[in-house]
Amino acid sequence: MNTDNNIVVTATSAAAATAVAVVDTQEKTNPVLEQQTTTNTETNNTTDGDTTVTTSTTSTTTEGVEGVAVVVELTKSQKKKQVRQERWNAVKDLKKAHEREKTKEKRKRKKQSMSSEERLELNRVKMQKKRDPSEIDWWGNIIFDFQHASLMGQREIKSLITQISFAYGNTLRLERPLFMDFCSFTGPVKESFEALQGYINWKVGRHEQSYMDLYKKEELVYLTAESPNIIKELDPTKKYIIGALVDHNRYKGLTYNTALEQGIETAQLPISEFIQLSSRKVLAVNHVFDILLKQTVNNDWKKSFEEVIPSRKVAKEGEEDGEEGEDQSGQDGEEQDSNNINNKEKEIEIESNTNTNNGKDENTTTDSLTTKSIE
Ligand SMILES: C[S@@+](CC[C@H](N)C(=O)[O-])C[C@H]1O[C@@H](n2cnc3c(N)ncnc32)[C@H](O)[C@@H]1O
């Protein structure tokens, strides 16, 4: 075993073998420093299942320079494993590059087939996204209430973030967008948003405080499927609240009861007045937001519902507007909506990479993704 300025690892597991990979040759190339070296050697033997790791550590200090050389001895099967892993990584990289190329081509083809009006519209949207929030003619405010976010698991948080990302992309396409105001925005959900590429540039409100501390009670309307009040018209002077929650029907009536306790107005969307749903009337966060968004333009609830609610949710003849959440597939609607969006996450990752690689404005990352959801 080599103990001279080296850490020698003999391992029968790939994990142990790949744990060391650094060779610092700094002092080896400096004979003057080599002469002034002091060496301490420590040897450890660890046995973990079928893995034996012998570590001999020599720390060498040469006038403030720490030098460590590493030699890794791999068994035959570990070498094979390593080769397989490297091959797999190369295939993965190729696949990713291919997907990126395909997306680029698709976008190019789409641009080429656009009419001049569509091109003008695209440019208008691009300009809008670059504008300062104070220059935008916002239609009104929609509050996203994160106060119940601790009830969500990591997967649900991820799903919520995807939904809100789509909603964000859609609002900024409008001439008069809806401003998204995040309240009680703290903890893991906030951290997960912050890890999202491009999020830092989002034109949204971010508050740790509750909407109760920020706005007058009379301005607030909590949108909740359980409310006995049915919304007739959208009022731009009101601040509508959406529960920022993916709960797969676990907490039925949660936001309604919260609003009741806080003494603020509640309302449900007028779904059953205009369309028949095959499942219960609790919609996913992004669908509620998109319906409001469409309604600001259409001023026609039926049209707005039809443009947003997935056709599989609309009841066929003979089906009733059910109370409980599961449809024929055994999944509740919110789960299916999340799944549909999550299926696009692959595209999201690829798109983000593309944009980063092209060195484009970070803000375009999410926006171009969200565009996909409505195409
Ligand atoms: C997936 S739901 C969350 C359901 C949750 N159990 C609750 O108590 O609100 C997400 C949010 O969308 C809004 N929402 C969903 N369906 C709605 C409807 N039919 N009318 C009004 N708001 C709705 C509510 O703000 C709700 O909190």
Side-chain angles (χ1 to χ4, degrees):
M1 187 163 297
N2 185 356
T3 54
D4 201 20
N5 296 336
N6 283 347
I7 293 175
V8 182
V9 177
T10 317
T12 52
S13 86
T18 49
V20 277
V22 184
V23 179
D24 182 344
T25 52
Q26 188 172 9
E27 70 177 302
K28 285 188 174 172
T29 55
N30 190 335
V32 181
L33 291 180
E34 227 168 60
Q35 282 168 14
Q36 299 160 356
T37 295
T38 51
T39 304
N40 299 309
T41 303
E42 202 181 286
T43 305
N44 294 311
N45 283 309
T46 331
T47 306
D48 175 17
D50 63 349
T51 304
T52 306
V53 182
T54 307
T55 322
S56 174
T57 311
T58 304
S59 75
T60 308
T61 313
T62 307
E63 290 198 336
V65 179
E66 282 264 335
V68 182
V70 180
V71 177
V72 180
E73 291 171 16
L74 294 177
T75 64
K76 232 179 176 180
S77 75
Q78 283 166 352
K79 274 182 197 159
K80 268 190 191 166
K81 232 181 188 173
Q82 204 178 27
V83 170
R84 270 204 303 273
Q85 185 61 45
E86 277 163 13
R87 252 189 235 145
W88 172 238
N89 288 345
V91 170
K92 255 189 353 198
D93 288 349
L94 268 177
K95 259 179 145 177
K96 267 191 185 168
H98 178 64
E99 288 293 337
R100 271 202 294 272
E101 239 357 89
K102 255 172 62 182
T103 316
K104 238 164 114 180
E105 274 301 313
K106 207 170 137 191
R107 222 181 285 150
K108 206 168 137 190
R109 277 201 305 275
K110 200 173 166 207
K111 250 186 182 171
Q112 281 165 350
S113 66
M114 273 180 174
S115 66
S116 52
E117 289 89 53
E118 283 171 328
R119 253 177 246 258
L120 274 173
E121 175 62 7
L122 189 72
N123 283 342
R124 187 194 62 72
V125 172
K126 270 190 186 161
M127 292 303 290
Q128 166 107 315
K129 285 174 182 168
K130 286 187 184 145
R131 274 160 69 188
D132 189 274
S134 62
E135 293 169 3
I136 297 177
D137 183 15
W138 301 101
W139 190 93
N141 271 36
I142 302 294
I143 293 172
F144 283 77
D145 171 26
F146 287 89
Q147 71 175 299
H148 301 297
S150 63
L151 299 174
M152 286 184 289
Q154 201 48 47
R155 248 185 83 193
E156 289 169 332
I157 290 181
K158 200 173 159 201
S159 177
L160 177 70
I161 291 179
T162 311
Q163 292 184 23
I164 294 179
S165 302
F166 279 104
Y168 176 73
N170 291 345
T171 190
L172 279 195
R173 292 168 70 88
L174 296 195
E175 257 178 65
R176 298 194 66 208
L178 283 171
F179 184 71
M180 295 166 77
D181 211 10
F182 295 176
C183 291
S184 302
F185 189 53
T186 56
V189 76
K190 181 176 173 228
E191 283 159 24
S192 301
F193 262 105
E194 284 165 353
L196 185 71
Q197 197 184 22
Y199 161 78
I200 193 85
N201 299 318
W202 283 21
K203 301 170 190 13
V204 295
R206 301 165 173 91
H207 314 279
E208 292 200 349
Q209 302 105 297
S210 154
Y211 47 80
M212 294 297 282
D213 303 323
L214 295 164
Y215 306 111
K216 291 190 205 119
K217 248 187 194 181
E218 311 81 68
E219 315 178 87
L220 301 171
V221 181
Y222 212 122
L223 294 176
T224 168
E226 280 79 19
S227 172
N229 312 317
I230 297 175
I231 202 166
K232 294 268 177 289
E233 265 182 42
L234 285 182
D235 177 352
T237 68
K238 296 280 186 191
K239 295 184 194 306
Y240 294 97
I241 308 169
I242 298 177
L245 193 65
V246 171
D247 67 344
H248 302 117
N249 295 332
R250 278 200 310 277
Y251 304 102
K252 201 176 168 206
L254 177 70
T255 54
Y256 177 59
N257 289 324
T258 304
L260 272 190
E261 275 164 31
Q262 291 172 330
I264 56 176
E265 202 184 319
T266 62
Q268 61 161 290
L269 294 171
I271 302 176
S272 37
E273 296 192 2
F274 296 98
I275 54 167
Q276 285 260 301
L277 292 189
S278 54
S279 55
R280 68 190 274 247
K281 293 175 291 184
V282 181
L283 302 179
V285 169
N286 64 313
H287 288 151
V288 177
F289 182 83
D290 285 353
I291 289 165
L292 299 178
L293 206 57
K294 292 279 181 189
Q295 183 60 10
T296 64
V297 178
N298 298 335
N299 198 20
D300 175 341
W301 284 113
K302 188 170 170 28
K303 189 165 183 243
S304 303
F305 288 132
E306 284 172 354
E307 284 176 356
V308 174
I309 296 182
S311 53
R312 63 176 163 72
K313 277 202 160 206
V314 179
K316 292 170 194 84
E317 235 175 298
E319 277 182 353
E320 294 230 334
D321 184 8
E323 244 314 294
E324 269 317 312
E326 289 197 337
D327 64 12
Q328 293 99 323
S329 69
Q331 281 181 308
D332 62 80
E334 193 190 5
E335 170 109 60
Q336 287 201 344
D337 295 339
S338 312
N339 286 348
N340 289 343
I341 293 171
N342 282 337
N343 284 342
K344 292 179 187 278
E345 279 179 15
K346 236 181 163 184
E347 288 181 68
I348 288 173
E349 276 165 24
I350 292 162
E351 277 260 355
S352 330
N353 291 341
T354 314
N355 286 344
T356 317
N357 292 346
N358 291 344
K360 284 185 192 161
D361 176 356
E362 278 190 318
N363 213 13
T364 53
T365 306
T366 319
D367 298 350
S368 55
L369 300 174
T370 36
T371 307
K372 278 174 178 287
S373 80
I374 43 174
E375 275 161 4

